[in-house]
Amino acid sequence: MNSNIPDKCDVVVIGGGPAGSIASGILAKKGFEVVVLEKEKFPRNIVGESIIPTFWKFTDLIDASEDIENEGFLQKTGGIVAWEGQTKTLSFKSFGINRNALHVERDRFDQILLNKVREKGGSVFEQTKVKHVDISNPNEAIVSYQNTITGESHVIKAKYVIDASGQRALFSKQKRSREFDKDFGFQAVWGYFDKSNFYDKNLKIRTFEERYDHGGMTVVSDIGNWGWSWKIMLREKVSVGIILSNEHQSSFKAGGTTLEERFDSFSKEIPLVGNMLLESNLISGSVKSIRDYAYKSTDLVYENCFLAGDAAAFVDPISSEGVPVSMYGGYLAAWAVSNSLRKPYRKEFYKNVFAQEYDKRLKIFKILAYPSKQVPDHLFKLGQKIIHSFSEQELLLILAQSKMTGRFETLNKLLGSNSVSREVKEVDLVTPTLL
């Protein structure tokens, strides 16, 4: 048992991923006593490697940006989308964004963030699994945890808890408040190939050996109604993922007797993606799968426990906003907790602001995941009320991404006569000459 874990602290953060690291890093930097309890031993493998440049504003807050820049991740120079028979591409430079988007190995990226928490004074304990959170006392939560090596259990008391436990969603499972979205009852399958060709920012085809000099475009291709795929260049391998709607289940299963055989066969038939993988080999043991991946907790804050990142909600990752939105949840939780610790008489106000603002962002990205003609009326009406909470630059980027994947009309209607709606039409979405 790690005897260094204190019996009390100001804040316990469950999980050391992007949401947990941003939250704990901010709080530790402000001088609060923060304890991070992380189930895994970092570095650990996790998917979600394409990160758009909105993430930098959060890594700046914990002084992690320089370390990320020095790591040498591949630059994401833009995106190419093959959708409904048309192919479009965009560059982030078109939006006046001067900081790079990245293709990252998440094991290393997340480790950089968690190490920064330690540098800021946060106490990080890995291989420590939280089993239960007792919030019956609104002034002091009791967190029960277990050392995954020795099996020994103990408790730590904290004034506040931030659950950033990822898709384990510890607290919402405990409260039985996690609701799965029936509209997104799909299967996600992903794995890694040893190499592939790729397009550079000038839409020239490059070999895998040229990846360090030219970065790479994220490739997205539709595979019928709601289904889609991704291909992301990494430093030593290539990430490929498939989102399978119900209509594709039978064709996917026909591709082989094992999950790896089916994934390999299906990936190489996908428009645009498959052409790049013809001389690639699937890395054995790399394929993973999950069903019914979209969910949200009915509440985002309970007494003195805040939910952030995938512990709060997960929607379809088509906009590459997963990591920045998780970081936003961690930032917002840190804001609410730090202010509540300093001004306890206003804690209900900070809780309400956290819940309202975080819920807005989660609902917008749920709307983004729907094809334009299939957005439920109640969500569309809600979206009209909250769409303007985004910055103009962020809206422009979201609109351009949506335009490329058949989601543009929804957001265009949400914005109405707003000037951003007109400006996005002037963004140069190039029709490239492809294989």
Side-chain angles (χ1 to χ4, degrees):
M1 187 70 178
N2 193 334
S3 59
N4 292 326
I5 300 179
D7 294 328
K8 289 186 177 183
C9 66
D10 292 323
V11 187
V12 165
V13 178
I14 306 170
S21 289
I22 294 299
S24 53
I26 292 172
L27 289 166
K29 188 176 177 180
K30 289 178 178 292
F32 296 107
E33 186 180 5
V34 182
V35 172
V36 181
L37 303 179
E38 166 57 51
K39 176 185 174 184
E40 305 294 337
K41 174 66 177 176
F42 277 39
R44 47 75 169 114
N45 293 323
I46 190 169
V47 74
E49 301 99 345
S50 174
I51 308 182
I52 64 175
T54 51
F55 82 90
W56 290 108
K57 60 188 175 184
F58 301 112
T59 57
D60 286 347
L61 293 174
I62 63 170
D63 305 318
S65 297
E66 184 177 356
D67 291 344
I68 293 170
E69 291 169 350
N70 292 339
E71 175 65 20
F73 292 117
L74 290 187
Q75 183 184 156
K76 171 188 168 87
T77 52
I80 301 177
V81 175
W83 209 269
E84 296 181 348
Q86 296 185 345
T87 302
K88 299 286 185 180
T89 183
L90 66 80
S91 167
F92 293 110
K93 302 296 184 183
S94 300
F95 304 91
I97 297 173
N98 297 317
R99 303 183 80 173
N100 293 332
L102 298 176
H103 287 173
V104 305
E105 290 81 10
R106 283 289 306 280
D107 54 353
R108 180 60 188 147
F109 181 82
D110 290 9
Q111 187 175 39
I112 290 171
L113 297 180
L114 192 59
N115 285 343
K116 187 57 66 173
V117 174
R118 292 185 173 98
E119 289 182 25
K120 295 301 174 186
S123 300
V124 179
F125 300 94
E126 300 174 60
Q127 296 175 296
T128 305
K129 181 180 180 180
V130 173
K131 306 286 287 185
H132 186 267
V133 179
D134 182 353
I135 59 168
S136 56
N137 181 349
N139 298 313
E140 185 177 66
I142 301 174
V143 179
S144 303
Y145 61 88
Q146 182 181 56
N147 185 301
T148 61
I149 303 299
T150 66
E152 295 180 71
S153 298
H154 198 55
V155 301
I156 179 173
K157 297 179 180 180
K159 297 172 184 175
Y160 286 94
V161 174
I162 297 174
D163 180 10
S165 58
Q167 294 191 13
R168 185 181 170 216
L170 174 95
F171 196 74
S172 63
K173 283 184 179 179
Q174 177 183 311
K175 299 291 288 186
R176 298 183 179 179
S177 62
R178 187 165 72 155
E179 295 182 345
F180 286 88
D181 197 320
K182 296 179 181 178
D183 288 336
F184 295 90
F186 305 147
Q187 180 180 11
V189 189
W190 65 93
Y192 298 89
F193 289 84
D194 60 351
K195 62 182 179 181
S196 82
N197 293 334
F198 66 96
Y199 289 96
D200 66 16
K201 63 182 179 181
N202 298 314
L203 302 180
K204 181 179 179 180
I205 298 172
R206 300 285 183 176
T207 65
F208 186 67
E209 288 70 26
E210 297 178 282
R211 63 198 182 281
Y212 287 103
D213 296 323
H214 298 282
M217 302 281 251
T218 301
V219 178
V220 172
S221 177
D222 74 334
I223 48 176
N225 184 33
W226 285 56
W228 63 280
S229 67
W230 74 75
K231 184 178 82 70
I232 300 167
M233 296 293 297
L234 299 172
R235 288 180 289 186
E236 301 300 328
K237 56 188 177 181
V238 181
S239 173
V240 176
I242 304 168
I243 305 297
L244 295 165
S245 60
N246 294 331
E247 67 183 62
H248 295 104
Q249 297 297 320
S250 58
S251 59
F252 179 78
K253 291 178 181 178
T257 57
T258 68
L259 180 62
E260 288 196 356
E261 288 176 352
R262 295 168 183 169
F263 179 77
D264 188 30
S265 174
F266 198 94
S267 296
K268 291 177 178 177
E269 295 297 324
I270 297 170
L272 197 61
V273 173
N275 288 339
M276 296 290 186
L277 297 172
L278 295 180
E279 298 181 2
S280 307
N281 299 306
L282 182 65
I283 298 174
S284 179
S286 71
V287 180
K288 307 294 181 184
S289 177
I290 186 173
R291 292 188 62 87
D292 301 325
Y293 55 77
Y295 59 85
K296 180 179 178 294
S297 176
T298 55
D299 294 292
L300 299 173
V301 58
Y302 297 81
E303 292 296 342
N304 46 358
C305 181
F306 292 77
L307 279 57
D310 288 355
F314 186 83
V315 295
D316 193 85
I318 194 166
S319 63
S320 295
E321 282 275 4
V323 170
V325 171
S326 290
M327 289 178 165
Y328 175 76
Y331 155 75
L332 203 59
W335 172 85
V337 167
S338 63
N339 278 293
S340 296
L341 285 167
R342 288 171 173 162
K343 300 177 182 179
Y345 57 91
R346 298 198 70 197
K347 64 180 182 180
E348 291 302 317
F349 168 77
Y350 298 122
K351 286 166 57 176
N352 289 335
V353 171
F354 167 84
Q356 291 170 9
E357 294 304 312
Y358 197 17
D359 191 52
K360 286 180 184 179
R361 183 134 318 201
L362 293 173
K363 283 176 178 172
I364 282 294
F365 284 103
K366 178 177 178 178
I367 294 171
L368 279 176
Y370 280 93
S372 292
K373 297 179 181 179
Q374 300 185 42
V375 181
D377 288 341
H378 71 282
L379 275 181
F380 182 82
K381 292 177 181 178
L382 179 64
Q384 288 178 308
K385 297 178 180 179
I386 62 179
I387 189 66
H388 299 290
S389 62
F390 289 80
S391 70
E392 182 169 301
Q393 186 181 67
E394 191 172 16
L395 275 175
L396 279 168
L397 182 56
I398 292 169
L399 281 162
Q401 290 175 314
S402 300
K403 188 173 184 179
M404 296 172 72
T405 57
R407 272 77 170 168
F408 176 71
E409 289 304 319
T410 297
L411 287 176
N412 203 26
K413 291 176 182 176
L414 288 178
L415 286 164
S417 61
N418 186 276
S419 60
V420 175
S421 178
R422 295 193 298 273
E423 287 180 30
V424 76
K425 297 174 185 178
E426 299 173 7
V427 173
D428 190 18
L429 297 182
V430 180
T431 301
T433 300
L434 302 174
L435 291 175

